[in-house]
Amino acid sequence: MPSRCCLSLVCLLIGLANCARAADRPPNIVYIMSDELAYYELSHMGNERLRTPNIDQMARQGIRFTQALAAAPVCGPLRACMMTGKHMGHCSVRDNPGGTPLRAGEPTIASMLKQRGYATGGFGKWGAGGRGSTGVPEQHGFDDFFGYYDQVHAHSFYPPYLVRNSREVPLPGNDGGRAGETYSHYEIMKQGKAFIRENKDRPFFCYFPVTPPHGMYDIPADDPAVAAYKDDDWFNDPNVSQDAKNYAAMVTMIDNDLRSVLDLLQELNLEDNTIVFFTGDNGGQDRFRSNEHPRGYFGPNKDPKTGVEFRGGKGNLYEGGLRIPYLVRWPGKIKAGRVSDLVFSQVDVFPTLAELTGAEAPEDLDGMSILTELIGAEATGHQQPQHEFLYWEYGPQTAVRMGQWKAIRPKRDGPWALYDLNSDVSETTDVAKQHPGVLAKMIAHAEAAHQPVQPGTFESKELHERDRQAKWGSKGNPGRKSGSNRSAKLNRLTDKNLVPADDMKLVRYSSENTGNEKHAANAVDGNPETIWHSRFDQGVAQPPHELVIDLGATYQIDGFRYLARQDGGWNGAFAEADFTVGDAADSFGEPSAAATFGKVKTAQKADCDAPVRGRYVRVRVFSEVNGKPWASAAEIGVVGNAVKHFSAVGREPSGVGAEMKNQRARALPLKPQETQGENASQR
């Protein structure tokens, strides 16, 4: 009998010790972010076509936010902003070519939590630094990251390999494109859930930046999510595209994935000590548009109950580009069924997780913690703070949110507009003239928030480019082939003394078309198969179009080269253009060269009258060969020689500075055309 009592006492003490350890242990964190899943693409928001029963249940069991905002309107920057807690005026990644990296040593959510004793895992699409760069996740706090580092790689669900901590993991039976034997998303979810299981006895941060429903719209025909729609009339309608049907199934697949993660937490008895976030990444894109469905077949930015729309979409700074679904669940800590109108952005995730876990966050974060809104002031000991303002910039666009007010400047140096979102969430009525004081304050916030961008660097782009090519594998992109001798027909820039493409970096641009990946950086990437195209899918950007390029060093420049798009089209091909050399990215004088280009697929020249020295080049495009308002380029090249710098011992030869000044003054000005084009008045 005494021995039984002792045994019972030992068991009781062990149980109490385990409870004490559980109470002291900081909560586990699961953060699921579905790529481009839009605000109104959920059935609890009234969408009658898309089925999301598990996401709907999470909304009933936790808190749903109505004014959660993306930190940027596109993939790469928002991920970097969220990971670093910096808004777009301070973040090191502000463009979206697919691999722009974080700087070496930048603190991230993962590095902070790792110092707090967390196991840190990421499973999905990274987007904040390609392989070979300073931005890879394993150098920013992740013990394990499995999936895609580059956004282009992530477009295929059948790539030949995925990446784990910069090492390739082959996927059997795959060669890129839209078919194969191993569905990448299944492997990503499998590895993520294995990470949770392996780290069940310690605090963990499991980050799921999953790709669906973005990318090529492919899903195995036997996935249970496909069967969910088998009796729907629209799903059986032959007039509805297969891609649209696949998109719906992919949304439901993600819904099922959420259920599987929650079931795993319950199985491991971790549910009560795990906070789960479920969200989209940026605002929705009006996919599968038609005359009948001008805002897209699934209406991502249109309230199905009221018909009220968010203006714009992915790629711009109107509400359609920024408003995202955002749900958080934590049984026993977050009151079930709550709906919050708190205005916040993804920049706030970093400080929120710092307060949640008791971790030490950097002092220079731009965000605020929303923990009080999640679990209450009684639990945190303080009231929920509010943002004085929120700030965005992307390409030529700038926006500021201040309470009910939204100020936006769609074009650099263009006029600001002001909207009252309380009465005009569709941003249709500019009230800037009625509230000049409000607008002036918001413009001042914008001016103070911007700092020059300082991105990370690549040691080599070889692996990064390999990942991008893996989208199509050994077959190559079928959309870019026009016969077996395609590569033979592809023109390139071959001039002697071309500034290496690896040394050139895009500093800024007037617009780019993100919807089909015609990014501005494509104009200087050294690959003539990629194209820069000015914006046309979310409102046509008007000329003049502008690129500013950093050559990486000071050059003595003899001229410039332009290579028109190498596919079968001419849309955007330059007609009138000029090139200006400068010593600073924001200060340019008279043009150094100008040309009127023609319908030619080989490289065309715009040479300087005399050599010009400088580090930065501004390219301006005033008209297009077909008289349309667009601009496009396969490649833009600069011909010249790097200027050697002399030490204090060996001074620069006398007279060079004066001679360069004279040469700059003799640079060829933009000549007026004898026949004015339709865009001449905009020059």
Side-chain angles (χ1 to χ4, degrees):
M1 186 69 177
S3 61
R4 288 183 181 178
C5 291
C6 290
L7 180 61
S8 299
L9 180 60
V10 169
C11 291
L12 176 62
L13 292 174
I14 291 173
L16 290 173
N18 287 336
C19 289
R21 281 196 296 272
D24 293 339
R25 171 175 158 174
N28 308 307
I29 303 160
V30 175
Y31 197 99
I32 304 172
M33 184 166 68
S34 178
D35 199 344
E36 291 195 17
L37 182 64
Y39 189 81
Y40 287 115
E41 289 183 328
L42 303 167
S43 47
H44 70 260
M45 296 300 295
N47 196 298
E48 295 182 351
R49 290 195 174 97
L50 298 171
R51 298 175 183 273
T52 56
N54 297 300
I55 300 172
D56 303 342
Q57 183 180 43
M58 181 171 173
R60 294 190 297 269
Q61 294 176 339
I63 184 171
R64 176 174 70 85
F65 288 92
T66 66
Q67 298 202 70
L69 300 165
V74 288
C75 180
L78 73 85
R79 284 161 166 72
C81 287
M82 185 177 77
M83 274 291 129
T84 61
K86 301 291 183 67
H87 63 52
M88 282 289 281
H90 296 154
C91 185
S92 54
V93 179
R94 301 187 205 176
D95 57 2
N96 197 45
T100 303
L102 297 174
R103 296 189 299 273
E106 277 194 88
T108 67
I109 290 171
S111 63
M112 173 189 71
L113 293 176
K114 188 177 177 69
Q115 292 178 352
R116 183 70 175 86
Y118 276 70
T120 54
F123 305 91
K125 180 170 71 172
W126 173 238
R131 286 203 290 167
S133 79
T134 56
V136 293
E138 66 269 21
Q139 292 182 13
H140 287 277
F142 281 94
D143 298 323
D144 186 14
F145 194 98
F146 178 78
Y148 306 94
Y149 282 29
D150 173 73
Q151 289 139 256
V152 174
H153 186 197
H155 291 166
S156 172
F157 291 97
Y158 295 99
Y161 60 85
L162 290 173
V163 178
R164 165 165 268 144
N165 291 3
S166 288
R167 295 180 179 273
E168 294 173 15
V169 179
L171 299 184
N174 288 3
D175 190 24
R178 304 195 63 172
E181 296 179 10
T182 306
Y183 191 60
S184 63
H185 178 68
Y186 290 169
E187 300 304 307
I188 287 168
M189 290 305 303
K190 184 189 304 180
Q191 293 297 320
K193 287 185 284 188
F195 171 84
I196 292 174
R197 192 176 292 278
E198 291 163 5
N199 291 283
K200 62 184 177 62
D201 296 323
R202 60 179 294 194
F204 60 80
F205 169 52
C206 188
Y207 174 45
F208 282 106
V210 292
T211 300
H214 186 38
M216 292 188 272
Y217 308 118
D218 296 315
I219 182 172
D222 59 355
D223 190 285
V226 177
Y229 293 92
K230 64 182 176 62
D231 296 326
D232 289 12
D233 290 342
W234 73 266
F235 199 77
N236 292 297
D237 185 346
N239 295 315
V240 177
S241 73
Q242 188 59 48
D243 277 354
K245 296 171 184 177
N246 288 357
Y247 184 91
M250 294 168 83
V251 170
T252 300
M253 176 181 66
I254 292 299
D255 182 81
N256 291 338
D257 289 333
L258 170 64
R259 178 75 269 155
S260 72
V261 170
L262 295 178
D263 287 347
L264 176 61
L265 295 174
Q266 188 175 42
E267 174 197 333
L268 299 176
N269 200 28
L270 298 174
E271 191 176 27
D272 292 342
N273 198 40
T274 303
I275 185 169
V276 179
F277 297 78
F278 182 88
T279 176
D281 64 344
N282 46 245
Q285 188 166 356
D286 297 344
R287 301 185 189 280
F288 319 116
R289 287 183 292 183
S290 64
N291 291 335
E292 185 181 358
H293 304 287
R295 293 308 307 269
Y297 190 72
F298 299 111
N301 286 313
K302 182 176 180 178
D303 188 334
K305 299 175 183 177
T306 66
V308 174
E309 300 179 1
F310 295 143
R311 182 175 177 179
K314 174 188 177 180
N316 64 50
L317 299 180
Y318 294 106
E319 288 300 285
L322 298 176
R323 197 77 68 107
I324 57 174
Y326 207 97
L327 311 174
V328 191
R329 176 185 185 270
W330 192 4
K333 304 294 193 302
I334 293 176
K335 185 178 178 180
R338 286 185 57 215
V339 177
S340 171
D341 296 327
L342 179 70
V343 178
F344 74 101
S345 87
Q346 292 158 332
V347 174
D348 299 322
V349 175
F350 197 148
T352 299
L353 298 186
E355 184 179 10
L356 171 71
T357 62
E360 185 175 350
E363 295 181 357
D364 62 347
L365 299 185
D366 291 317
M368 69 176 189
S369 172
I370 66 167
L371 187 62
T372 296
E373 189 71 8
L374 295 175
I375 65 175
E378 185 175 346
T380 62
H382 63 82
Q383 296 299 310
Q384 174 60 48
Q386 303 289 324
H387 276 290
E388 181 181 4
F389 71 95
L390 293 167
Y391 175 80
W392 296 267
E393 61 181 66
Y394 180 63
Q397 308 169 77
T398 308
V400 178
R401 177 76 184 267
M402 192 173 72
Q404 73 196 68
W405 303 104
K406 172 86 167 286
I408 184 166
R409 184 178 62 182
K411 295 182 180 180
R412 187 175 288 109
D413 300 325
W416 285 83
L418 180 68
Y419 302 101
D420 182 348
L421 297 184
N422 281 357
S423 59
D424 182 25
V425 74
S426 299
E427 297 169 286
T428 61
T429 305
D430 181 3
V431 295
K433 292 182 179 178
Q434 292 90 327
H435 302 279
V438 172
L439 181 58
K441 186 174 182 179
M442 297 176 79
I443 292 173
H445 283 316
E447 291 173 348
H450 172 79
Q451 294 178 355
V453 63
Q454 297 180 18
T457 58
F458 277 87
E459 180 178 349
S460 168
K461 287 190 175 181
E462 180 181 356
L463 294 177
H464 174 57
E465 291 301 327
R466 173 175 166 81
D467 292 345
R468 295 170 73 85
Q469 293 165 10
K471 172 181 176 178
W472 293 107
S474 64
K475 303 180 294 294
N477 185 347
R480 288 184 179 147
K481 291 185 178 181
S482 57
S484 60
N485 60 343
R486 167 66 181 159
S487 60
K489 293 182 179 180
L490 193 69
N491 297 294
R492 299 179 181 275
L493 300 181
T494 58
D495 294 74
K496 184 179 179 182
N497 296 332
L498 275 173
V499 177
D502 284 347
D503 294 345
M504 297 198 296
K505 176 172 177 56
L506 197 65
V507 176
R508 66 173 187 266
Y509 52 91
S510 55
S511 77
E512 63 179 11
N513 206 67
T514 59
N516 61 353
E517 299 160 11
K518 300 296 190 291
H519 301 297
N522 293 345
V524 294
D525 66 356
N527 181 2
E529 289 192 278
T530 61
I531 299 170
W532 162 57
H533 200 295
S534 59
R535 189 183 69 248
F536 63 83
D537 66 356
Q538 295 287 344
V540 176
Q542 298 295 320
H545 305 286
E546 181 177 305
L547 303 175
V548 175
I549 304 164
D550 179 0
L551 304 181
T554 300
Y555 277 79
Q556 189 97 332
I557 297 168
D558 298 311
F560 308 91
R561 300 294 180 263
Y562 168 63
L563 190 65
R565 55 192 302 164
Q566 295 295 295
D567 56 11
W570 290 105
N571 284 347
F574 294 5
E576 297 172 287
D578 69 21
F579 304 80
T580 309
V581 178
D583 295 321
D586 55 359
S587 178
F588 293 95
E590 292 296 310
S592 308
T596 299
F597 299 115
K599 283 190 173 182
V600 179
K601 291 294 186 182
T602 54
Q604 300 179 73
K605 298 181 179 182
D607 286 330
C608 301
D609 232 10
V612 185
R613 188 169 73 169
R615 173 168 175 162
Y616 298 91
V617 173
R618 181 187 66 191
V619 183
R620 293 186 299 180
V621 185
F622 300 103
S623 61
E624 187 239 29
V625 293
N626 290 325
K628 303 298 185 182
W630 305 308
S632 68
E635 285 301 306
I636 294 173
V638 180
V639 179
N641 293 287
V643 175
K644 294 181 179 180
H645 293 279
F646 295 87
S647 66
V649 176
R651 294 184 179 274
E652 182 174 320
S654 61
V656 169
E659 181 181 354
M660 293 310 303
K661 182 177 180 181
N662 291 335
Q663 289 175 345
R664 193 174 295 113
R666 293 196 300 270
L668 180 66
L670 177 64
K671 295 180 179 179
Q673 302 298 311
E674 294 180 5
T675 303
Q676 297 295 326
E678 66 178 297
N679 297 316
S681 62
Q682 301 176 44
R683 290 166 57 185

